[in-house]
Short mmCIF file of all heavy atoms in Angstrom, two decimals:
data_model
loop_
_atom_site.label_atom_id
_atom_site.label_comp_id
_atom_site.label_asym_id
_atom_site.label_seq_id
_atom_site.Cartn_x
_atom_site.Cartn_y
_atom_site.Cartn_z
N MET A 1 0.85 -1.20 0.00
CA MET A 1 0.00 0.00 0.00
C MET A 1 0.88 1.24 0.00
O MET A 1 1.83 1.35 0.75
CB MET A 1 -0.90 -0.01 1.24
CG MET A 1 -1.78 1.22 1.32
SD MET A 1 -2.87 1.18 2.76
CE MET A 1 -1.75 1.71 4.04
N ASN A 2 0.55 2.16 -0.86
CA ASN A 2 1.25 3.44 -0.87
C ASN A 2 0.63 4.35 0.17
O ASN A 2 -0.39 4.97 -0.06
CB ASN A 2 1.16 4.06 -2.26
CG ASN A 2 1.80 5.44 -2.30
OD1 ASN A 2 2.45 5.85 -1.34
ND2 ASN A 2 1.60 6.14 -3.40
N ALA A 3 1.23 4.43 1.32
CA ALA A 3 0.67 5.24 2.40
C ALA A 3 1.44 6.53 2.59
O ALA A 3 1.29 7.21 3.58
CB ALA A 3 0.67 4.43 3.69
N ASP A 4 2.31 6.86 1.62
CA ASP A 4 3.11 8.07 1.74
C ASP A 4 2.45 9.21 0.99
O ASP A 4 1.69 9.02 0.07
CB ASP A 4 4.51 7.83 1.16
CG ASP A 4 5.22 6.71 1.89
OD1 ASP A 4 5.03 6.62 3.12
OD2 ASP A 4 5.93 5.94 1.25
N GLY A 5 2.81 10.43 1.40
CA GLY A 5 2.41 11.59 0.64
C GLY A 5 0.94 11.89 0.69
O GLY A 5 0.25 11.63 1.68
N ARG A 6 0.45 12.45 -0.41
CA ARG A 6 -0.94 12.87 -0.46
C ARG A 6 -1.63 12.17 -1.61
O ARG A 6 -1.03 11.85 -2.62
CB ARG A 6 -1.01 14.39 -0.63
CG ARG A 6 -0.37 15.11 0.54
CD ARG A 6 -0.44 16.60 0.40
NE ARG A 6 -1.75 17.14 0.76
CZ ARG A 6 -2.18 17.29 2.01
NH1 ARG A 6 -1.44 16.91 3.01
NH2 ARG A 6 -3.36 17.81 2.25
N TRP A 7 -2.91 11.95 -1.43
CA TRP A 7 -3.71 11.32 -2.45
C TRP A 7 -4.77 12.30 -2.92
O TRP A 7 -5.19 13.19 -2.18
CB TRP A 7 -4.42 10.08 -1.90
CG TRP A 7 -3.52 8.92 -1.63
CD1 TRP A 7 -2.26 8.73 -2.09
CD2 TRP A 7 -3.83 7.78 -0.82
NE1 TRP A 7 -1.76 7.54 -1.62
CE2 TRP A 7 -2.69 6.94 -0.85
CE3 TRP A 7 -4.94 7.39 -0.09
CZ2 TRP A 7 -2.65 5.73 -0.17
CZ3 TRP A 7 -4.90 6.18 0.58
CH2 TRP A 7 -3.77 5.35 0.55
N THR A 8 -5.20 12.10 -4.14
CA THR A 8 -6.35 12.80 -4.66
C THR A 8 -7.58 11.91 -4.45
O THR A 8 -7.52 10.71 -4.71
CB THR A 8 -6.19 13.10 -6.16
OG1 THR A 8 -5.06 13.93 -6.34
CG2 THR A 8 -7.42 13.79 -6.71
N VAL A 9 -8.64 12.51 -3.93
CA VAL A 9 -9.86 11.76 -3.65
C VAL A 9 -10.96 12.23 -4.59
O VAL A 9 -11.19 13.42 -4.75
CB VAL A 9 -10.33 11.97 -2.20
CG1 VAL A 9 -11.57 11.15 -1.91
CG2 VAL A 9 -9.22 11.62 -1.24
N GLU A 10 -11.61 11.28 -5.21
CA GLU A 10 -12.76 11.58 -6.06
C GLU A 10 -13.91 10.67 -5.65
O GLU A 10 -13.70 9.57 -5.15
CB GLU A 10 -12.43 11.29 -7.54
CG GLU A 10 -11.24 12.07 -8.06
CD GLU A 10 -10.72 11.52 -9.39
OE1 GLU A 10 -11.32 10.56 -9.92
OE2 GLU A 10 -9.70 12.03 -9.86
N VAL A 11 -15.13 11.16 -5.84
CA VAL A 11 -16.32 10.32 -5.63
C VAL A 11 -17.12 10.34 -6.93
O VAL A 11 -17.44 11.41 -7.46
CB VAL A 11 -17.20 10.83 -4.48
CG1 VAL A 11 -18.51 10.03 -4.42
CG2 VAL A 11 -16.47 10.73 -3.15
N ASP A 12 -17.40 9.16 -7.45
CA ASP A 12 -18.26 9.05 -8.62
C ASP A 12 -19.71 9.15 -8.14
O ASP A 12 -20.30 8.19 -7.66
CB ASP A 12 -18.02 7.72 -9.32
CG ASP A 12 -18.81 7.61 -10.63
OD1 ASP A 12 -19.77 8.38 -10.81
OD2 ASP A 12 -18.46 6.75 -11.45
N ARG A 13 -20.25 10.36 -8.26
CA ARG A 13 -21.60 10.61 -7.72
C ARG A 13 -22.68 9.92 -8.53
O ARG A 13 -23.82 9.80 -8.08
CB ARG A 13 -21.84 12.12 -7.61
CG ARG A 13 -21.02 12.73 -6.46
CD ARG A 13 -21.04 14.26 -6.51
NE ARG A 13 -22.36 14.84 -6.44
CZ ARG A 13 -22.99 15.16 -5.30
NH1 ARG A 13 -22.41 14.93 -4.13
NH2 ARG A 13 -24.18 15.72 -5.34
N SER A 14 -22.35 9.44 -9.70
CA SER A 14 -23.33 8.68 -10.48
C SER A 14 -23.48 7.26 -9.93
O SER A 14 -24.44 6.56 -10.24
CB SER A 14 -22.94 8.63 -11.96
OG SER A 14 -21.80 7.82 -12.15
N VAL A 15 -22.52 6.86 -9.11
CA VAL A 15 -22.52 5.52 -8.53
C VAL A 15 -22.90 5.55 -7.05
O VAL A 15 -23.55 4.64 -6.54
CB VAL A 15 -21.12 4.87 -8.71
CG1 VAL A 15 -21.05 3.53 -8.00
CG2 VAL A 15 -20.78 4.73 -10.18
N CYS A 16 -22.51 6.61 -6.34
CA CYS A 16 -22.75 6.75 -4.90
C CYS A 16 -24.23 6.56 -4.57
O CYS A 16 -25.09 7.12 -5.25
CB CYS A 16 -22.28 8.13 -4.46
SG CYS A 16 -22.69 8.53 -2.75
N VAL A 17 -24.49 5.78 -3.53
CA VAL A 17 -25.87 5.56 -3.09
C VAL A 17 -26.17 6.33 -1.80
O VAL A 17 -27.25 6.17 -1.22
CB VAL A 17 -26.17 4.06 -2.90
CG1 VAL A 17 -26.09 3.32 -4.23
CG2 VAL A 17 -25.23 3.41 -1.88
N GLY A 18 -25.22 7.13 -1.35
CA GLY A 18 -25.46 8.03 -0.23
C GLY A 18 -25.69 7.37 1.11
O GLY A 18 -26.43 7.90 1.94
N ASN A 19 -25.04 6.26 1.34
CA ASN A 19 -25.27 5.56 2.62
C ASN A 19 -24.42 6.12 3.76
O ASN A 19 -24.49 5.62 4.88
CB ASN A 19 -25.03 4.05 2.48
CG ASN A 19 -23.57 3.70 2.32
OD1 ASN A 19 -22.73 4.57 2.09
ND2 ASN A 19 -23.25 2.44 2.46
N ARG A 20 -23.60 7.12 3.49
CA ARG A 20 -22.84 7.87 4.50
C ARG A 20 -21.71 7.10 5.15
O ARG A 20 -21.13 7.58 6.14
CB ARG A 20 -23.76 8.38 5.63
CG ARG A 20 -24.94 9.17 5.18
CD ARG A 20 -25.72 9.65 6.38
NE ARG A 20 -24.97 10.66 7.10
CZ ARG A 20 -25.18 11.96 6.97
NH1 ARG A 20 -26.12 12.39 6.18
NH2 ARG A 20 -24.46 12.82 7.64
N MET A 21 -21.39 5.93 4.66
CA MET A 21 -20.32 5.18 5.32
C MET A 21 -18.99 5.93 5.29
O MET A 21 -18.28 5.97 6.29
CB MET A 21 -20.16 3.80 4.65
CG MET A 21 -21.29 2.83 4.95
SD MET A 21 -21.48 2.48 6.71
CE MET A 21 -19.94 1.63 7.05
N CYS A 22 -18.68 6.53 4.16
CA CYS A 22 -17.41 7.26 4.06
C CYS A 22 -17.43 8.50 4.95
O CYS A 22 -16.41 8.86 5.55
CB CYS A 22 -17.12 7.63 2.62
SG CYS A 22 -18.38 8.66 1.85
N VAL A 23 -18.58 9.13 5.06
CA VAL A 23 -18.71 10.33 5.90
C VAL A 23 -18.51 9.95 7.37
O VAL A 23 -17.84 10.65 8.13
CB VAL A 23 -20.08 10.99 5.69
CG1 VAL A 23 -20.23 12.21 6.58
CG2 VAL A 23 -20.27 11.37 4.23
N ALA A 24 -19.09 8.82 7.77
CA ALA A 24 -18.95 8.37 9.15
C ALA A 24 -17.51 7.96 9.46
O ALA A 24 -17.02 8.17 10.56
CB ALA A 24 -19.89 7.19 9.41
N THR A 25 -16.83 7.40 8.47
CA THR A 25 -15.48 6.89 8.69
C THR A 25 -14.43 7.99 8.61
O THR A 25 -13.48 8.01 9.40
CB THR A 25 -15.15 5.81 7.63
OG1 THR A 25 -16.18 4.81 7.67
CG2 THR A 25 -13.81 5.16 7.91
N ALA A 26 -14.59 8.91 7.68
CA ALA A 26 -13.60 9.98 7.49
C ALA A 26 -14.33 11.31 7.29
O ALA A 26 -14.35 11.87 6.19
CB ALA A 26 -12.69 9.66 6.31
N PRO A 27 -14.93 11.84 8.36
CA PRO A 27 -15.76 13.04 8.22
C PRO A 27 -14.98 14.29 7.81
O PRO A 27 -15.59 15.23 7.30
CB PRO A 27 -16.39 13.20 9.61
CG PRO A 27 -15.51 12.43 10.53
CD PRO A 27 -14.93 11.31 9.73
N GLU A 28 -13.69 14.30 8.02
CA GLU A 28 -12.92 15.46 7.60
C GLU A 28 -12.60 15.42 6.10
O GLU A 28 -12.13 16.40 5.55
CB GLU A 28 -11.63 15.59 8.43
CG GLU A 28 -10.54 14.60 8.12
CD GLU A 28 -10.84 13.19 8.63
OE1 GLU A 28 -11.86 12.97 9.31
OE2 GLU A 28 -10.05 12.30 8.33
N VAL A 29 -12.85 14.28 5.50
CA VAL A 29 -12.55 14.13 4.06
C VAL A 29 -13.82 14.16 3.22
O VAL A 29 -13.83 14.72 2.13
CB VAL A 29 -11.79 12.80 3.80
CG1 VAL A 29 -11.56 12.61 2.30
CG2 VAL A 29 -10.47 12.78 4.56
N PHE A 30 -14.91 13.56 3.75
CA PHE A 30 -16.14 13.44 2.96
C PHE A 30 -17.30 14.17 3.62
O PHE A 30 -17.42 14.20 4.85
CB PHE A 30 -16.52 11.96 2.79
CG PHE A 30 -15.49 11.13 2.08
CD1 PHE A 30 -14.57 10.38 2.79
CD2 PHE A 30 -15.42 11.11 0.70
CE1 PHE A 30 -13.61 9.62 2.14
CE2 PHE A 30 -14.46 10.36 0.03
CZ PHE A 30 -13.55 9.61 0.76
N ALA A 31 -18.15 14.72 2.79
CA ALA A 31 -19.40 15.32 3.26
C ALA A 31 -20.52 14.81 2.36
O ALA A 31 -20.28 14.42 1.21
CB ALA A 31 -19.32 16.83 3.19
N LEU A 32 -21.73 14.80 2.90
CA LEU A 32 -22.88 14.43 2.08
C LEU A 32 -23.52 15.71 1.55
O LEU A 32 -23.90 16.59 2.31
CB LEU A 32 -23.88 13.62 2.90
CG LEU A 32 -24.64 12.54 2.12
CD1 LEU A 32 -23.68 11.44 1.67
CD2 LEU A 32 -25.76 11.95 2.94
N VAL A 33 -23.62 15.82 0.25
CA VAL A 33 -24.19 17.00 -0.40
C VAL A 33 -25.28 16.53 -1.35
O VAL A 33 -25.02 15.72 -2.25
CB VAL A 33 -23.11 17.79 -1.18
CG1 VAL A 33 -23.72 18.99 -1.87
CG2 VAL A 33 -21.97 18.20 -0.25
N ASP A 34 -26.50 17.02 -1.12
CA ASP A 34 -27.63 16.62 -1.95
C ASP A 34 -27.77 15.10 -2.01
O ASP A 34 -28.06 14.52 -3.06
CB ASP A 34 -27.48 17.19 -3.37
CG ASP A 34 -27.51 18.71 -3.37
OD1 ASP A 34 -28.15 19.29 -2.47
OD2 ASP A 34 -26.90 19.31 -4.27
N GLY A 35 -27.54 14.45 -0.87
CA GLY A 35 -27.77 13.01 -0.76
C GLY A 35 -26.67 12.13 -1.28
O GLY A 35 -26.79 10.90 -1.26
N LYS A 36 -25.56 12.75 -1.71
CA LYS A 36 -24.43 11.94 -2.19
C LYS A 36 -23.14 12.51 -1.63
O LYS A 36 -23.05 13.68 -1.29
CB LYS A 36 -24.39 11.94 -3.72
CG LYS A 36 -25.69 11.39 -4.32
CD LYS A 36 -25.47 10.78 -5.67
CE LYS A 36 -26.78 10.15 -6.14
NZ LYS A 36 -26.60 9.34 -7.34
N ALA A 37 -22.14 11.63 -1.54
CA ALA A 37 -20.87 12.04 -0.96
C ALA A 37 -20.08 12.93 -1.91
O ALA A 37 -20.18 12.80 -3.14
CB ALA A 37 -20.04 10.81 -0.59
N ARG A 38 -19.30 13.80 -1.29
CA ARG A 38 -18.41 14.68 -2.05
C ARG A 38 -17.17 14.91 -1.19
O ARG A 38 -17.29 15.14 0.01
CB ARG A 38 -19.12 16.00 -2.33
CG ARG A 38 -18.25 17.01 -3.08
CD ARG A 38 -19.00 18.26 -3.41
NE ARG A 38 -19.98 18.06 -4.46
CZ ARG A 38 -20.88 18.95 -4.82
NH1 ARG A 38 -20.96 20.10 -4.20
NH2 ARG A 38 -21.72 18.70 -5.80
N PRO A 39 -15.97 14.87 -1.79
CA PRO A 39 -14.78 15.16 -1.00
C PRO A 39 -14.80 16.62 -0.55
O PRO A 39 -15.16 17.51 -1.32
CB PRO A 39 -13.62 14.92 -2.00
CG PRO A 39 -14.20 14.12 -3.10
CD PRO A 39 -15.66 14.50 -3.18
N ARG A 40 -14.43 16.85 0.70
CA ARG A 40 -14.33 18.22 1.21
C ARG A 40 -13.14 18.93 0.59
O ARG A 40 -13.15 20.14 0.42
CB ARG A 40 -14.16 18.21 2.73
CG ARG A 40 -15.38 17.72 3.48
CD ARG A 40 -15.10 17.76 4.97
NE ARG A 40 -16.21 17.24 5.74
CZ ARG A 40 -17.26 17.97 6.10
NH1 ARG A 40 -17.32 19.24 5.75
NH2 ARG A 40 -18.23 17.43 6.79
N THR A 41 -12.11 18.17 0.32
CA THR A 41 -10.90 18.70 -0.30
C THR A 41 -10.34 17.63 -1.20
O THR A 41 -10.47 16.43 -0.92
CB THR A 41 -9.87 19.11 0.78
OG1 THR A 41 -8.69 19.54 0.13
CG2 THR A 41 -9.56 17.96 1.71
N GLU A 42 -9.76 18.03 -2.29
CA GLU A 42 -9.32 17.05 -3.27
C GLU A 42 -8.07 16.31 -2.84
O GLU A 42 -7.96 15.10 -3.00
CB GLU A 42 -9.08 17.74 -4.61
CG GLU A 42 -8.93 16.78 -5.76
CD GLU A 42 -8.80 17.49 -7.09
OE1 GLU A 42 -9.84 17.76 -7.71
OE2 GLU A 42 -7.67 17.79 -7.49
N ARG A 43 -7.10 17.06 -2.30
CA ARG A 43 -5.83 16.43 -1.93
C ARG A 43 -5.82 16.20 -0.42
O ARG A 43 -6.02 17.13 0.36
CB ARG A 43 -4.66 17.34 -2.30
CG ARG A 43 -4.58 17.65 -3.78
CD ARG A 43 -4.11 16.47 -4.58
NE ARG A 43 -2.69 16.21 -4.38
CZ ARG A 43 -2.07 15.13 -4.85
NH1 ARG A 43 -2.75 14.21 -5.48
NH2 ARG A 43 -0.78 14.97 -4.66
N VAL A 44 -5.61 14.98 -0.03
CA VAL A 44 -5.61 14.66 1.39
C VAL A 44 -4.40 13.80 1.73
O VAL A 44 -3.82 13.14 0.85
CB VAL A 44 -6.90 13.91 1.80
CG1 VAL A 44 -8.12 14.77 1.52
CG2 VAL A 44 -6.99 12.59 1.09
N ALA A 45 -4.04 13.81 3.00
CA ALA A 45 -2.94 12.97 3.44
C ALA A 45 -3.36 11.51 3.37
O ALA A 45 -4.45 11.14 3.81
CB ALA A 45 -2.55 13.35 4.87
N ALA A 46 -2.51 10.69 2.79
CA ALA A 46 -2.78 9.27 2.75
C ALA A 46 -2.80 8.73 4.17
O ALA A 46 -2.05 9.18 5.03
CB ALA A 46 -1.70 8.56 1.93
N GLY A 47 -3.68 7.78 4.42
CA GLY A 47 -3.71 7.24 5.77
C GLY A 47 -4.77 6.17 5.94
O GLY A 47 -5.61 5.95 5.06
N ALA A 48 -4.72 5.52 7.09
CA ALA A 48 -5.58 4.37 7.35
C ALA A 48 -7.06 4.74 7.35
O ALA A 48 -7.90 3.96 6.89
CB ALA A 48 -5.19 3.74 8.69
N GLU A 49 -7.37 5.94 7.84
CA GLU A 49 -8.78 6.34 7.89
C GLU A 49 -9.36 6.45 6.49
O GLU A 49 -10.50 6.05 6.23
CB GLU A 49 -8.89 7.68 8.62
CG GLU A 49 -10.29 8.05 9.00
CD GLU A 49 -10.30 9.33 9.81
OE1 GLU A 49 -10.19 10.40 9.18
OE2 GLU A 49 -10.41 9.27 11.05
N LEU A 50 -8.57 6.98 5.59
CA LEU A 50 -9.00 7.12 4.21
C LEU A 50 -9.15 5.74 3.54
O LEU A 50 -10.10 5.50 2.79
CB LEU A 50 -8.01 7.99 3.44
CG LEU A 50 -8.36 8.41 2.03
CD1 LEU A 50 -9.76 9.03 1.98
CD2 LEU A 50 -7.32 9.39 1.51
N VAL A 51 -8.24 4.85 3.85
CA VAL A 51 -8.34 3.49 3.33
C VAL A 51 -9.59 2.81 3.88
O VAL A 51 -10.31 2.13 3.14
CB VAL A 51 -7.07 2.67 3.69
CG1 VAL A 51 -7.26 1.21 3.31
CG2 VAL A 51 -5.85 3.26 3.00
N ASP A 52 -9.88 3.03 5.16
CA ASP A 52 -11.09 2.45 5.75
C ASP A 52 -12.33 2.97 5.04
O ASP A 52 -13.28 2.22 4.78
CB ASP A 52 -11.17 2.79 7.24
CG ASP A 52 -10.18 2.00 8.07
OD1 ASP A 52 -9.62 1.02 7.54
OD2 ASP A 52 -9.97 2.36 9.23
N ALA A 53 -12.36 4.28 4.74
CA ALA A 53 -13.50 4.86 4.04
C ALA A 53 -13.63 4.25 2.65
O ALA A 53 -14.73 3.90 2.20
CB ALA A 53 -13.34 6.38 3.95
N TYR A 54 -12.50 4.13 1.96
CA TYR A 54 -12.48 3.52 0.63
C TYR A 54 -13.08 2.11 0.70
O TYR A 54 -13.92 1.73 -0.12
CB TYR A 54 -11.03 3.49 0.13
CG TYR A 54 -10.82 2.76 -1.17
CD1 TYR A 54 -10.87 3.44 -2.38
CD2 TYR A 54 -10.53 1.40 -1.19
CE1 TYR A 54 -10.66 2.78 -3.58
CE2 TYR A 54 -10.31 0.72 -2.38
CZ TYR A 54 -10.38 1.42 -3.57
OH TYR A 54 -10.16 0.75 -4.76
N GLU A 55 -12.64 1.35 1.68
CA GLU A 55 -13.08 -0.04 1.80
C GLU A 55 -14.53 -0.13 2.25
O GLU A 55 -15.20 -1.14 2.01
CB GLU A 55 -12.17 -0.79 2.77
CG GLU A 55 -10.76 -0.95 2.22
CD GLU A 55 -9.81 -1.61 3.21
OE1 GLU A 55 -10.14 -1.66 4.41
OE2 GLU A 55 -8.74 -2.06 2.77
N SER A 56 -15.04 0.90 2.91
CA SER A 56 -16.41 0.85 3.43
C SER A 56 -17.45 1.12 2.36
O SER A 56 -18.63 0.82 2.55
CB SER A 56 -16.58 1.87 4.55
OG SER A 56 -16.68 3.19 4.03
N CYS A 57 -17.03 1.65 1.23
CA CYS A 57 -18.01 2.01 0.20
C CYS A 57 -18.53 0.75 -0.48
O CYS A 57 -17.77 -0.01 -1.08
CB CYS A 57 -17.38 2.94 -0.83
SG CYS A 57 -18.57 3.43 -2.10
N PRO A 58 -19.84 0.52 -0.44
CA PRO A 58 -20.40 -0.73 -0.98
C PRO A 58 -20.47 -0.76 -2.50
O PRO A 58 -20.68 -1.83 -3.08
CB PRO A 58 -21.80 -0.78 -0.36
CG PRO A 58 -22.17 0.66 -0.18
CD PRO A 58 -20.88 1.35 0.19
N VAL A 59 -20.30 0.40 -3.12
CA VAL A 59 -20.45 0.44 -4.58
C VAL A 59 -19.17 0.93 -5.28
O VAL A 59 -19.19 1.26 -6.47
CB VAL A 59 -21.65 1.33 -4.99
CG1 VAL A 59 -22.95 0.69 -4.55
CG2 VAL A 59 -21.50 2.73 -4.42
N SER A 60 -18.07 0.98 -4.53
CA SER A 60 -16.77 1.38 -5.09
C SER A 60 -16.83 2.72 -5.81
O SER A 60 -16.29 2.88 -6.91
CB SER A 60 -16.24 0.29 -6.04
OG SER A 60 -16.09 -0.93 -5.35
N ALA A 61 -17.51 3.68 -5.17
CA ALA A 61 -17.64 5.00 -5.78
C ALA A 61 -16.44 5.89 -5.50
O ALA A 61 -16.28 6.93 -6.14
CB ALA A 61 -18.91 5.68 -5.26
N ILE A 62 -15.60 5.50 -4.55
CA ILE A 62 -14.46 6.33 -4.15
C ILE A 62 -13.24 5.94 -4.99
O ILE A 62 -12.91 4.76 -5.11
CB ILE A 62 -14.16 6.15 -2.66
CG1 ILE A 62 -15.36 6.63 -1.83
CG2 ILE A 62 -12.89 6.91 -2.26
CD1 ILE A 62 -15.26 6.30 -0.35
N VAL A 63 -12.60 6.95 -5.56
CA VAL A 63 -11.40 6.73 -6.36
C VAL A 63 -10.25 7.48 -5.69
O VAL A 63 -10.38 8.66 -5.36
CB VAL A 63 -11.59 7.25 -7.80
CG1 VAL A 63 -10.30 7.08 -8.60
CG2 VAL A 63 -12.75 6.52 -8.47
N LEU A 64 -9.15 6.78 -5.48
CA LEU A 64 -7.95 7.38 -4.90
C LEU A 64 -6.87 7.42 -5.96
O LEU A 64 -6.67 6.44 -6.69
CB LEU A 64 -7.46 6.55 -3.70
CG LEU A 64 -8.46 6.32 -2.57
CD1 LEU A 64 -7.85 5.41 -1.51
CD2 LEU A 64 -8.87 7.65 -1.96
N ARG A 65 -6.18 8.56 -6.03
CA ARG A 65 -5.09 8.68 -7.00
C ARG A 65 -3.83 9.16 -6.29
O ARG A 65 -3.90 9.96 -5.35
CB ARG A 65 -5.45 9.67 -8.11
CG ARG A 65 -6.63 9.21 -8.95
CD ARG A 65 -6.86 10.11 -10.16
NE ARG A 65 -8.09 9.77 -10.84
CZ ARG A 65 -8.22 8.76 -11.71
NH1 ARG A 65 -7.17 8.03 -11.99
NH2 ARG A 65 -9.38 8.49 -12.27
N GLY A 66 -2.70 8.69 -6.76
CA GLY A 66 -1.41 9.06 -6.19
C GLY A 66 -0.89 10.36 -6.75
O GLY A 66 -1.58 11.07 -7.48
N GLU A 67 0.35 10.65 -6.43
CA GLU A 67 0.97 11.93 -6.80
C GLU A 67 0.95 12.18 -8.30
O GLU A 67 0.85 13.31 -8.75
CB GLU A 67 2.42 11.97 -6.29
CG GLU A 67 2.56 11.87 -4.78
CD GLU A 67 2.29 13.20 -4.09
OE1 GLU A 67 2.08 14.20 -4.80
OE2 GLU A 67 2.28 13.23 -2.86
N THR A 68 1.06 11.13 -9.09
CA THR A 68 1.14 11.30 -10.54
C THR A 68 -0.19 11.00 -11.23
O THR A 68 -0.24 10.85 -12.44
CB THR A 68 2.24 10.39 -11.12
OG1 THR A 68 1.94 9.03 -10.76
CG2 THR A 68 3.60 10.77 -10.58
N GLY A 69 -1.26 10.88 -10.42
CA GLY A 69 -2.58 10.66 -11.00
C GLY A 69 -2.93 9.20 -11.21
O GLY A 69 -4.02 8.90 -11.70
N GLU A 70 -2.01 8.32 -10.85
CA GLU A 70 -2.29 6.90 -11.03
C GLU A 70 -3.33 6.45 -10.01
O GLU A 70 -3.33 6.91 -8.86
CB GLU A 70 -1.02 6.05 -10.90
CG GLU A 70 -0.53 5.78 -9.47
CD GLU A 70 0.19 6.96 -8.83
OE1 GLU A 70 0.17 8.06 -9.37
OE2 GLU A 70 0.76 6.73 -7.73
N GLN A 71 -4.22 5.57 -10.42
CA GLN A 71 -5.25 5.09 -9.51
C GLN A 71 -4.64 4.12 -8.51
O GLN A 71 -3.84 3.26 -8.87
CB GLN A 71 -6.38 4.41 -10.29
CG GLN A 71 -7.62 4.21 -9.44
CD GLN A 71 -8.86 3.93 -10.27
OE1 GLN A 71 -8.91 4.25 -11.45
NE2 GLN A 71 -9.84 3.31 -9.66
N ILE A 72 -5.02 4.30 -7.25
CA ILE A 72 -4.48 3.48 -6.17
C ILE A 72 -5.55 2.53 -5.67
O ILE A 72 -6.69 2.94 -5.46
CB ILE A 72 -4.01 4.37 -5.00
CG1 ILE A 72 -2.79 5.18 -5.43
CG2 ILE A 72 -3.72 3.56 -3.75
CD1 ILE A 72 -2.38 6.23 -4.44
N ASP A 73 -5.17 1.27 -5.53
CA ASP A 73 -6.05 0.30 -4.90
C ASP A 73 -5.40 -0.13 -3.60
O ASP A 73 -4.52 -0.99 -3.58
CB ASP A 73 -6.26 -0.92 -5.79
CG ASP A 73 -7.19 -1.94 -5.15
OD1 ASP A 73 -7.66 -1.70 -4.01
OD2 ASP A 73 -7.44 -2.98 -5.76
N PRO A 74 -5.80 0.49 -2.48
CA PRO A 74 -5.14 0.20 -1.21
C PRO A 74 -5.39 -1.22 -0.71
O PRO A 74 -4.75 -1.67 0.22
CB PRO A 74 -5.71 1.23 -0.24
CG PRO A 74 -6.98 1.65 -0.84
CD PRO A 74 -6.84 1.49 -2.33
N GLU A 75 -6.32 -1.91 -1.36
CA GLU A 75 -6.59 -3.29 -0.95
C GLU A 75 -5.66 -4.26 -1.66
O GLU A 75 -5.61 -5.43 -1.31
CB GLU A 75 -8.05 -3.65 -1.25
CG GLU A 75 -9.02 -2.83 -0.43
CD GLU A 75 -10.46 -3.08 -0.82
OE1 GLU A 75 -10.78 -2.88 -2.00
OE2 GLU A 75 -11.24 -3.48 0.04
N ALA A 76 -4.96 -3.77 -2.70
CA ALA A 76 -4.10 -4.66 -3.50
C ALA A 76 -2.84 -5.03 -2.72
O ALA A 76 -2.40 -4.30 -1.86
CB ALA A 76 -3.74 -3.98 -4.79
S1 SF4 B 1 -19.57 5.10 1.17
FE1 SF4 B 1 -19.75 5.16 -1.09
S2 SF4 B 1 -21.94 5.00 -1.50
FE2 SF4 B 1 -21.71 5.55 0.66
S3 SF4 B 1 -21.85 7.79 0.70
FE3 SF4 B 1 -19.67 7.26 0.56
S4 SF4 B 1 -19.20 7.25 -1.66
FE4 SF4 B 1 -21.43 7.17 -1.42
#
């Protein structure tokens, strides 16, 4: 797992079902807006809480990207 540096966080709102799991797990990173999650800030410090939020999403709507824009799968 690449746990260094900062990650870019995106939420695919066309997929999000608004169950708030990511908001409950990482409230400083995610907010619910109009019934769907949205990152509060695009660039965030990589860390376990963010990985937990990523893993908690039942529809894989959360996308994490590394410093160069590559998609990160913290479960890999
Ligand atoms: S955990 Fe996934 S489905 Fe639930 S609010 Fe967050 S992004 Fe949306």
